[in-house]
Amino acid sequence: MSEKRLKRKAFFDKIKTKRRLIILNEETFEEKFSFKLNIINVFIVATLGAIFLISITSYIIAFTPLREYIPGYASTQLKKDALNLGLKSDSLEFALKKNDAYIQSVKKVLTGDLEYAKVNKDSIMASEYVDPSEYNFEASPEELELRKKVEAESKKVKK
């Protein structure tokens, strides 16, 4: 056998070798309990324990109020308050603009800076006039076909 293969076989033999863990009373050397273990079992138990601890810790942080103490997470009440304050500030800004426009118009009335609209009756009448030659009133081929279908259906219904 090659040297690599022998080293690999020796490594797996060491891992699979059974070992005994014994818990003794120090004063009387009385055996309290013992385990038969191998390195693979210890590795698997340690890995599963670490995964369990990490998942429990993540769950506690994610789904309890404890997450508010972690920098970067804001409380839900703080988010609600910020949203409400944003809405209030927008409505107050709109009301302020409306009041400013009203005050400006009142100032114009009081100071006499009004701009009178010059109304010309002829310009009003001219703006309402529509030239019928701009529009095409002839029926398209699709419209003619539709009219024929509607007439045929109405004749069927009358019979």
Side-chain angles (χ1 to χ4, degrees):
M1 286 191 204
S2 70
E3 189 175 325
K4 281 186 176 181
R5 197 169 190 191
L6 288 174
K7 285 183 180 180
R8 191 178 309 141
K9 186 173 179 1
F11 175 73
F12 283 119
D13 286 341
K14 282 183 184 179
I15 289 177
K16 291 178 185 177
T17 303
K18 295 279 186 181
R19 302 183 193 283
R20 183 179 291 239
L21 174 68
I22 302 173
I23 306 296
L24 298 174
N25 185 350
E26 184 75 25
E27 295 174 2
T28 62
F29 294 108
E30 178 185 355
E31 183 179 316
K32 294 293 183 181
F33 56 90
S34 66
F35 294 110
K36 284 187 179 180
L37 303 171
N38 59 19
I39 294 176
I40 294 174
N41 290 344
V42 173
F43 179 73
I44 290 172
V45 168
T47 303
L48 291 175
I51 291 172
F52 178 73
L53 283 175
I54 290 170
S55 62
I56 292 296
T57 305
S58 300
Y59 179 80
I60 289 172
I61 290 173
F63 298 109
T64 62
L66 187 64
R67 71 173 171 257
E68 294 175 9
Y69 296 107
I70 297 173
Y73 284 101
S75 68
T76 54
Q77 185 63 36
L78 183 64
K79 289 179 183 177
K80 287 178 185 177
D81 291 344
L83 180 66
N84 288 335
L85 288 175
L87 292 173
K88 283 181 183 178
S89 67
D90 287 343
S91 64
L92 287 174
E93 188 176 330
F94 177 72
L96 183 66
K97 286 181 183 177
K98 199 166 136 182
N99 285 342
D100 284 343
Y102 175 74
I103 290 171
Q104 292 300 323
S105 64
V106 169
K107 278 183 182 178
K108 285 182 182 179
V109 168
L110 292 176
T111 57
D113 292 339
L114 293 176
E115 296 177 7
Y116 296 104
K118 296 180 181 177
V119 179
N120 187 352
K121 188 175 180 182
D122 294 333
S123 66
I124 293 174
M125 294 176 83
S127 66
E128 291 180 6
Y129 176 72
V130 177
D131 187 15
S133 64
E134 294 178 9
Y135 298 102
N136 183 11
F137 292 111
E138 295 179 16
S140 66
E142 293 88 10
E143 187 177 351
L144 293 173
E145 287 180 33
L146 180 63
R147 287 181 185 179
K148 288 178 184 176
K149 287 181 184 178
V150 170
E151 284 179 25
E153 288 180 10
S154 65
K155 287 180 182 177
K156 289 181 185 176
V157 172
K158 288 181 182 179
K159 291 183 182 180

